[in-house]
Amino acid sequence: MEKNNRLIVFDTTLRDGEQTPGVNLNLQEKIEIAKQLEALGVDVIEAGFPASSNGDFEAVQGVAQSVSCSVAALCRCVISDIERGWEAVKNSKKPRIHVFIATSEIHMKYKLKMKQDDVFKQAVDCVRFAKSLCDDVEFSCEDASRSEPEFLYKILTAVIDAGASTVNIPDTVGYKITNEFGEFIAGIKRNVPNIEKAVISVHCHNDLGLAVANTIVALQNGARQIETTINGIGERAGNCSMEEVIMAITTRKDILHIPHNIDTTAIYRTAKRVSKLTGVPIPICKPIVGDNAFAHESGVHQHGVLANPLTYEIMTPESVGKTESTLVLGKLSGRHAFAAHIKTLNYELDKNGLESAFLRFKDLADKKKKITDDDIEALISNRTQDVRETYRLESFQLQTGNKIKSLAGITLSYKDNEYTETAVGDGPVNAAYNAITKIIGGEWPLSAYEIKAVTEGRDALGEVTVRIKKYDRIFVGKGVSHDVIAASILAYINAVNRAEESQR
Ligand code: KIV
Ligand code: ZN
């Protein structure tokens, strides 16, 4: 890449990332992530697919009005999609319309049931229409990496003439091997005569674990925009992980020479925020942001790192914002100190949100001596008000032991009435979940349950994430409490409330 040709980071956590099974972000959650992405320094946020549902339309509109960077709306090459997409982003400071159509034989024949000529015409007509509404138009040829190169050259030339200022080349099914993908991008650069009028973008999926490598090789062969997600979340094996590609570029600037706008010290916080809000855990060995990414176990390594960190560390934890979670607030801290502190963590809460987080903080401060940033983030992300509380936990009681079946009594409120049920189960959590489903009725199968401590120590907060299957979808629920049974109950009710909210 030529010097001064700055990288454009197009983040699709809120669109492709949200297509991760089980991830359903509501409006507030999308806005919260968008603000964090802006603080991280991304250039374009793809906020959703407005024509797909009213909820997505509102979320894209909400994000478009909340941040100053570019906001893109994804649209099929269909006029009504483009009109809806434009409606959602038109009040953004920098709106972008992103249109796509599949160009591979297999997609055209079996999915679109269209001939090449028809796909060509539809792409060009739609780019021209999008350009009549919005100055910034991106065109993607879905499944580009399995498309006939000659057809790709032809369609790219025509859409650039019709007004596309960015042409995106997705490896939709994560099929290309790295040197092959590099050649593929070089071929586009050589064979599309007007390519200098557009930015080449790449969008790599990770089915073979090559998304980051393929993205980097594309940059070495003429691409200037990368489409990525935080923590690499997305369809199937996910998308190219932003933190990995950015840290590769930053760490190896000696050979890559790619200036970018990302504040790498905001990476770790962003990764954690996305993981909390989506309910998708970060694997411990994940490069850059996994718990073990900077941990040294063997004595030889520890000795080397103590003598000189560069022996085994090619980048520092501080460079990605991973620092010790320190004691920040205590029992005597007041509302002002609390409010000021959460601002430094880049959270914006309204008056009610702030008050309820403060009350939870006071409650925790009574039980836990040291309160750290991790605790505060867990408290804040445990916001039941982000989802309408169709059911609310009033109280629970448990009888449990290693020689008896567990017995749970649960009282929930629903539409101003209280309902109580008891149930037995294999263990206290199972008994509590059985009592809850007795109250709400129907089948609410649990497909995953995960518990972890927010910080170290016996008095740590417990954070529970559950997934339940309902209405042919998966809903993620989260609960945080000092008491792991309470956290488990809150997480289950949170998932139920999310499922109920989706039916409105
Ligand atoms: O993977 C893909 O091809 C996509 C396009 C819609 C850009 O997500
Ligand atoms: Zn994709």
Side-chain angles (χ1 to χ4, degrees), residues 12 15-16 19 170-172 203-205 227 235-236 239:
T12 184
R15 199 278 297 170
D16 223 335
Q19 289 172 221
D171 186 14
T172 302
H203 175 115
C204 298
H205 279 269
E227 301 201 352
E235 289 272 6
R236 307 181 310 280
N239 288 61

Side-chain angles (χ1 to χ4, degrees), residues 132-147:
S132 73
L133 302 172
C134 180
D135 212 36
D136 186 356
V137 175
E138 171 169 338
F139 172 77
S140 284
C141 3
E142 193 188 8
D143 206 18
S145 56
R146 292 191 300 167
S147 302

Side-chain angles (χ1 to χ4, degrees), residues 350-361:
D350 60 17
K351 212 167 154 231
N352 291 342
L354 187 63
E355 185 57 20
S356 89
F358 181 70
L359 294 179
R360 289 199 299 279
F361 158 71

Side-chain angles (χ1 to χ4, degrees), residues 299-371:
V300 174
H301 287 208
Q302 285 171 353
H303 177 74
V305 169
L306 284 176
N308 180 345
L310 294 180
T311 50
Y312 286 98
E313 278 182 2
I314 56 169
M315 57 200 154
T316 62
E318 291 76 21
S319 68
V320 300
K322 195 166 194 275
T323 48
E324 283 290 304
S325 192
T326 46
L327 170 64
V328 287
L329 293 169
K331 206 173 162 160
L332 301 175
S333 308
R335 272 183 184 73
H336 287 301
F338 182 74
H341 191 74
I342 63 170
K343 264 209 178 127
T344 67
L345 298 176
N346 202 24
Y347 279 100
E348 274 177 33
L349 299 185
D350 60 17
K351 212 167 154 231
N352 291 342
L354 187 63
E355 185 57 20
S356 89
F358 181 70
L359 294 179
R360 289 199 299 279
F361 158 71
K362 279 292 184 192
D363 190 37
L364 180 67
D366 276 340
K367 297 170 181 145
K368 191 171 190 288
K369 271 198 223 132
K370 290 184 185 173
I371 298 200

